[in-house]
Amino acid sequence: MQDSTFIGLDVHKATISVAVAEGVRGGEVRHLGTIPHRADHIRKLVEKLGAGGHKLHFCYEAGPCGYGLHRQLVELGHDCIVVAPSLIPVKTGDRVKTDRRDAVMLAKMHRAGELTAVWVPDAAHEAMRDLVRARATAMRVTGKARQHLQGFLLRHGRIYPGKKGWTVAYRRWLTTVRFGHRAQQIVFQDYVDAVAEAEARVARLTGQITELLPDWDLAPVVEAIQAMRGVAFVVAVTVVAEVGDFHRFDNPRQLMAYLGLTPSEHSSGATVRRGGITKAGSGLARRALIEGAWSYRMQPRVSRKLHDRLEAVPSCVRDIAWKGQLRMCQRYRRLVMAGKPKVVVTTAIAREMVGFIWAIARAVSPVPDPTVSQSA
């Protein structure tokens, strides 16, 4: 510790505020100033701080600037963690926040070991995750475009006589819709075109994910967890992209908590109060899992699509998936008979799904090299 130096970085788009804490307990903590957020200035800072042979330990908060700074510092041969902002201890009465104070606070807490690091993906994993998130964004845009069109039709009394929208029959019906005024017909056609463009974007991104998946080192995990009911291609690739390395979770409960599927609690003394799920972590993965959990309201069975997915996985994976399906279908019925709301039941099933996904992923994925990846 005496030969170590802890550096807190308050990172912004154009500048980085730097504070240094000496490794000795109670040692000096000082603010070095602000440097431009550029690779050459960061390199000069590292050379200056490491000139005395000290071991440098950097930290900065996770934010919109990404992991480029982390990767540069690691490549320069120094330790660096990216801190989870929501888990940084704060003083309730502190009402002053500046870049200088933030950097000093990070340096102090890093020396005390009170900071929680987030998992930093490698460049390839981050690229695949960006692609998956881009598809999710395109899906939200598609939903909005459809909502705008349907709202316009409803406002003008054009009601589809069928039962379900966005089927082939519904799209044929759209081609028969006419408006008396030319401006309204232009608006209608623009909404229709917006929906078509959004759907084409989703299809294009989905195809690109499919094309690039074989080159991803986590492709075997994506293929294996599709053995589970309710976990088709999109759900599988979304969960794996958001979770990353499953080996950093020692047990499935840690993964459930990481995805925000565990109940919140506020207890004191003899009073125990539990609320809804914490909703921590990735909302995208959590939403995909809850959507997949709805399939367990049916009786246990292997559909044709699921059968085709099972053919490509090992027998041990098939056994885990079938065991999970039997358990979760039974649990769904039992919770519904107990009077639980279906939304609550589905969320509970999604939490159970995470446990079986964890087991399958650990069974098929190799243990990563600790010198390459980092875990929280």
Side-chain angles (χ1 to χ4, degrees), residues 11-48:
V11 181
H12 297 277
K13 178 177 68 175
T15 61
I16 300 176
S17 185
V18 183
V20 174
E22 300 299 334
V24 182
R25 180 179 177 86
E28 180 185 8
V29 181
R30 64 187 186 277
H31 182 251
L32 293 184
T34 302
I35 64 172
H37 190 170
R38 287 166 39 189
D40 54 339
H41 287 268
I42 295 169
R43 188 180 301 106
K44 290 179 181 178
L45 173 69
V46 172
E47 293 173 355
K48 177 182 176 182

Side-chain angles (χ1 to χ4, degrees), residues 11 33 36 39 62 64 73 94 96 172 209 328 331 351 356:
V11 181
L73 293 172
D94 193 355
V96 179
R172 288 175 180 168
I209 293 172
M328 287 182 281
R331 182 169 173 78
R351 183 166 57 247
F356 289 98

Side-chain angles (χ1 to χ4, degrees), residues 274-295:
R274 292 189 176 88
I277 58 175
T278 61
K279 295 185 179 180
S282 171
L284 178 59
R286 184 168 57 251
R287 183 165 57 251
L289 288 166
I290 291 175
E291 289 177 358
W294 282 101
S295 63

Side-chain angles (χ1 to χ4, degrees), residues 49-328:
L49 295 176
H54 294 278
K55 186 175 182 181
L56 305 182
H57 302 271
F58 292 87
C59 70
Y60 68 95
E61 294 183 44
C65 294
Y67 305 116
L69 177 58
H70 172 275
R71 294 191 179 111
Q72 181 183 0
L73 293 172
V74 171
E75 288 175 1
L76 292 173
H78 298 285
D79 176 61
C80 179
I81 64 170
V82 183
V83 182
S86 60
L87 300 179
I88 297 176
V90 294
K91 296 179 180 179
T92 306
D94 193 355
R95 294 292 184 270
V96 179
K97 182 185 184 301
T98 64
D99 294 349
R100 178 192 183 106
R101 289 170 67 99
D102 287 347
V104 170
M105 176 268 297
L106 285 172
K108 285 182 178 179
M109 290 190 174
H110 191 22
R111 181 178 65 184
E114 296 180 355
L115 297 177
T116 302
V118 302
W119 179 72
V120 178
D122 57 28
H125 186 102
E126 187 179 15
M128 285 298 296
R129 189 173 66 181
D130 288 340
L131 184 57
V132 171
R133 290 179 176 178
R135 184 193 177 278
T137 301
M139 285 294 297
R140 289 194 295 270
V141 173
T142 302
K144 276 292 183 183
R146 290 178 173 180
Q147 184 180 13
H148 292 161
L149 174 58
Q150 290 178 320
F152 177 78
L153 293 172
L154 179 61
R155 191 163 63 250
H156 293 284
R158 306 303 199 271
I159 308 300
Y160 175 58
K163 295 182 179 180
K164 188 176 181 181
W166 304 111
T167 60
V168 174
Y170 180 82
R171 295 174 191 276
R172 288 175 180 168
W173 173 80
L174 287 177
T175 63
T176 65
V177 176
R178 297 291 184 271
F179 292 89
H181 198 284
R182 181 183 175 187
Q184 291 177 334
Q185 191 68 36
I186 291 174
V187 172
F188 168 72
Q189 191 59 47
D190 185 74
Y191 281 143
V192 171
D193 292 342
V195 172
E197 292 171 2
E199 290 174 342
R201 181 187 174 196
V202 172
R204 184 170 61 252
L205 289 171
T206 304
Q208 290 168 347
I209 293 172
T210 305
E211 180 181 351
L212 295 174
L213 182 63
D215 298 330
W216 191 19
D217 57 351
L218 290 179
V221 181
V222 175
E223 184 177 8
I225 66 175
Q226 290 183 65
M228 292 193 59
R229 185 176 183 174
V231 185
F233 175 75
V234 172
V235 176
V237 76
T238 299
V239 172
V240 174
E242 293 296 321
V243 174
D245 176 22
F246 283 84
H247 286 278
R248 61 196 175 104
F249 301 100
D250 296 330
N251 56 70
R253 291 184 181 274
Q254 292 180 358
L255 181 55
M256 296 172 190
Y258 176 79
L259 293 173
L261 288 168
T262 54
S264 59
E265 183 173 347
H266 187 274
S267 302
S268 179
T271 303
V272 178
R273 296 177 181 173
R274 292 189 176 88
I277 58 175
T278 61
K279 295 185 179 180
S282 171
L284 178 59
R286 184 168 57 251
R287 183 165 57 251
L289 288 166
I290 291 175
E291 289 177 358
W294 282 101
S295 63
Y296 289 95
R297 68 188 186 278
M298 306 296 186
Q299 293 290 336
R301 70 186 185 94
V302 178
S303 65
R304 179 55 187 268
K305 291 183 178 179
L306 181 57
H307 179 271
D308 294 341
R309 301 202 301 263
L310 288 172
E311 290 182 342
V313 299
S315 59
C316 62
V317 172
R318 292 197 293 268
D319 293 342
I320 295 174
W322 180 245
K323 178 182 177 181
Q325 184 174 169
L326 292 175
R327 173 184 170 85
M328 287 182 281

Side-chain angles (χ1 to χ4, degrees), residues 359-372:
I360 292 174
R362 299 263 297 196
V364 300
S365 61
V367 179
D369 185 353
T371 62
V372 176

